[in-house]
Amino acid sequence: MSQTSLKQKKKNETGSKNSKDSIDTEKRKDSDKSGVRLSTQGSQELSLPKTDSRGLLVRNQWSRTSRSPSTRGPSIDEPRSKSTSLKLPNSSTTSRTSSASPSQHESPEQLSEQASPPTPPLPSTPPMPLDSRPPTPPEPHSSSRRSTRMQENPEAWAHGIVRDIRDSRESSQLRDYPRTPPTEWKSYSQRRSTYSSQLDRDCLSELPQPPRQHQREEEEEEEEAYWASVKTLYEKIPSCSRPRPPKPKNAITIAVSSRALFNMMDARKIYEEEGLEKYMEYQLNNENVILTPGPAFRFVKALQHVNARLRELYPNEQDLFDIVLMTNNHAQVGVRLINSVNHYGLLIDRFCLTGGKSPIGYLKAYLTNLYLSADSEKVQEAIQEGIASATMFDGAKDMAYCDTQLRVAFDGDAVLFSDESEHIAKEYGLDKFFQHETLFENKPLAQGPLKGFLEDLGRLQKKFYAKDERLLCPIRTYLVTARSAASSGARVLKTLRRWGLEIDEALFLAGAPKGPILVKIRPHIFFDDHMFHIEGAQKLGTISAHVPYGINQK
């Protein structure tokens, strides 16, 4: 070979080497723009996207296959002249560039034009059947999958996203959701029966709690806190504090009629002379007029004082007197009664207004221990029902009463005791009566209608004795009897002892009048079965209560 040809060969190799370096530089720049990474390492091998034998770009078989026609790669049967496929030299063509002549290599300008051609919108092609697609491995992270699609074909990826959004809107508009006809609607209980209880609990537990219920609970808590603060505030103010009434099952219930508690003689006269309608009209027109006190008024006030003393010694005490206003007046009259009760500061919380019907049927329902009324017929009905009752009579004279001590005076026979001894006195005379009492001195007498009320008073007295309050006890009881102490008094005292009852004062008058003694005692109430004793005490100003029981009523 000549020297000229050797020089020419060296010159060609140098030119090819320079052209190769320039091609590598241009390819690196173009790959940075199109997302294709070119690496030139030791042997100048290019790491390019994988192509087939015809130079077309082939997807990675492990990339997720998109069902959208716009994001699929071009078909293999498409002509090579189309610019949708990026034609790059494969590994075999790259290895031949080192030994090929310069005429076989493309210029750098041509490579740059082929590396970044403008990519027009891809024509829509029918989707490939699912069976012909390669198996899909586990799905990579969503962000890495989006970046891979953007790097492969950014414009086609963007057009595919737009087309997917348009197709989803069109399909949502055309979709017809099934609707349940009204005839197939079922209630909650019917639908609940079709599911198991566990499933129903699971479903209900997953449901969020309604905000209304949570808001209602907060309002209830705020309301409870408010009323608790108000209660605390009013409890600290003595003038505003009103004690709660005791529970009926523990209390000593005293039922009082409206005519016994207040003076209603004027209204009673209108009722008897003009009838019920005029009586109702009179009460409505005078409902703001306060009624004056009646015969049982001072007795009720004394009962309230005992309750106050018991609450001082026993704050949680329930064994107290509970006053019930029991009347056959109409409910419209109740306004005047309430106004009068509140005016005098009486702690009467329970009312029974029967509207012309007899209230006797309600006495047992109210667990009544003592019934006081101005109507003798109703009192007789209550006695027949086994309830301690008495007809109230006001004193003819004004008398000063003790406000700090309840004073109750009892007759013996037919009041605390039975009337068996009076039967003997009526049939056989006083001599036989004295012999009978001496013979049966150690035999206790049978109980009378007021024995239970005396027991209640004795039980409350012992509560004060337990606190060393015997001398300051607000309850004092009296026995005022016409018996003679020498001949028949022993049996009375032994009977009380056998019953476990204590009487503070026992007065044996041996047939003398009781009126003067009662003036000295000044009791709030005096119980007796003889009307002439009641009338004698009433004339001297003593408030009396007639007990219609025993042989003396015939």
Side-chain angles (χ1 to χ4, degrees), residues 6-19 98 102:
L6 291 173
K7 291 179 179 181
Q8 185 67 29
K9 185 176 182 180
K10 290 180 179 180
K11 187 177 180 179
N12 292 338
E13 291 178 357
T14 305
S16 63
K17 185 176 182 181
N18 294 333
S19 63
S98 60

Side-chain angles (χ1 to χ4, degrees), residues 100-390:
S101 62
S103 62
Q104 296 177 356
H105 295 283
E106 295 180 348
S107 63
E109 291 79 8
Q110 294 176 350
L111 290 175
S112 63
E113 291 177 1
Q114 294 180 2
S116 60
T119 305
L122 296 176
S124 61
T125 58
M128 184 182 296
L130 294 176
D131 297 340
S132 63
R133 296 175 184 175
T136 303
E139 185 173 343
H141 197 270
S142 59
S143 61
S144 63
R145 185 169 66 251
R146 288 196 299 268
S147 62
T148 304
R149 291 180 183 178
M150 293 175 63
Q151 291 176 2
E152 291 177 355
N153 200 339
E155 295 184 6
W157 178 80
H159 285 290
I161 292 297
V162 175
R163 189 175 290 104
D164 288 344
I165 295 174
R166 189 185 301 112
D167 294 341
S168 63
R169 290 179 178 177
E170 293 176 357
S171 62
S172 63
Q173 293 177 358
L174 298 176
R175 186 177 300 174
D176 188 13
Y177 293 96
R179 297 182 180 179
T180 305
T183 56
E184 297 182 5
W185 289 350
K186 297 180 179 181
S187 63
Y188 171 74
S189 59
Q190 293 175 345
R191 287 185 281 108
R192 182 178 180 182
S193 61
T194 59
Y195 301 96
S196 62
S197 58
Q198 181 64 33
L199 179 61
D200 193 23
R201 280 197 301 271
D202 296 341
C203 294
L204 292 177
S205 62
E206 294 177 0
L207 292 176
Q209 187 176 5
R212 292 183 178 180
Q213 183 179 359
H214 181 65
Q215 184 178 2
R216 192 181 304 112
E217 292 178 355
E218 291 181 353
E219 292 178 355
E220 291 178 356
E221 291 178 358
E222 293 178 357
E223 186 176 359
E224 291 178 359
Y226 169 75
W227 285 114
S229 62
V230 171
K231 180 181 177 181
T232 304
L233 176 63
Y234 277 88
E235 284 178 352
K236 294 180 179 179
I237 305 176
S239 60
C240 297
S241 61
R242 181 184 179 93
R244 290 184 177 182
K247 295 181 180 180
K249 63 179 181 180
N250 300 325
I252 304 171
T253 304
I254 310 296
V256 184
S257 70
S258 58
R259 290 169 56 196
L261 184 61
F262 299 111
N263 185 2
M264 302 180 69
M265 296 300 296
D266 295 339
R268 182 68 181 178
K269 186 177 181 180
I270 295 174
Y271 171 73
E272 292 176 351
E273 294 178 357
E274 302 181 18
L276 179 61
E277 294 302 325
K278 291 294 183 179
Y279 170 80
M280 292 286 299
E281 182 180 356
Y282 171 80
Q283 293 288 13
L284 291 175
N285 294 334
N286 295 274
E287 65 180 13
N288 293 324
V289 178
I290 303 303
L291 296 168
T292 57
F297 182 85
R298 296 183 182 274
F299 175 67
V300 171
K301 293 285 287 185
L303 295 177
Q304 290 187 183
H305 177 72
V306 174
N307 286 348
R309 289 289 308 277
L310 283 171
R311 287 192 175 102
E312 291 177 1
L313 299 177
Y314 306 92
N316 298 323
E317 182 61 45
Q318 290 292 319
D319 193 3
L320 304 170
F321 293 109
D322 185 20
I323 314 301
V324 178
L325 186 60
M326 190 80 61
T327 176
N328 61 350
N329 273 302
H330 196 272
Q332 296 298 329
V333 185
V335 177
R336 189 179 186 187
L337 295 175
I338 292 173
N339 292 338
S340 301
V341 166
N342 293 334
H343 173 77
Y344 293 110
L346 301 177
L347 300 179
I348 302 177
D349 297 293
R350 295 201 288 168
F351 278 49
C352 181
L353 306 169
T354 61
K357 184 180 177 181
S358 175
I360 303 305
Y362 293 96
L363 293 177
K364 289 186 177 180
Y366 277 83
L367 304 178
T368 304
N369 298 91
L370 177 64
Y371 174 56
L372 301 177
S373 175
D375 192 337
S376 59
E377 295 181 358
K378 292 184 177 62
V379 171
Q380 189 65 47
E381 293 179 16
I383 289 288
Q384 294 175 0
E385 294 291 331
I387 299 173
S389 305

Side-chain angles (χ1 to χ4, degrees), residues 298 301-302 305 401-405 524:
R298 296 183 182 274
K301 293 285 287 185
H305 177 72
Y401 293 90
C402 182
D403 295 332
T404 60
Q405 190 177 56
H524 293 93

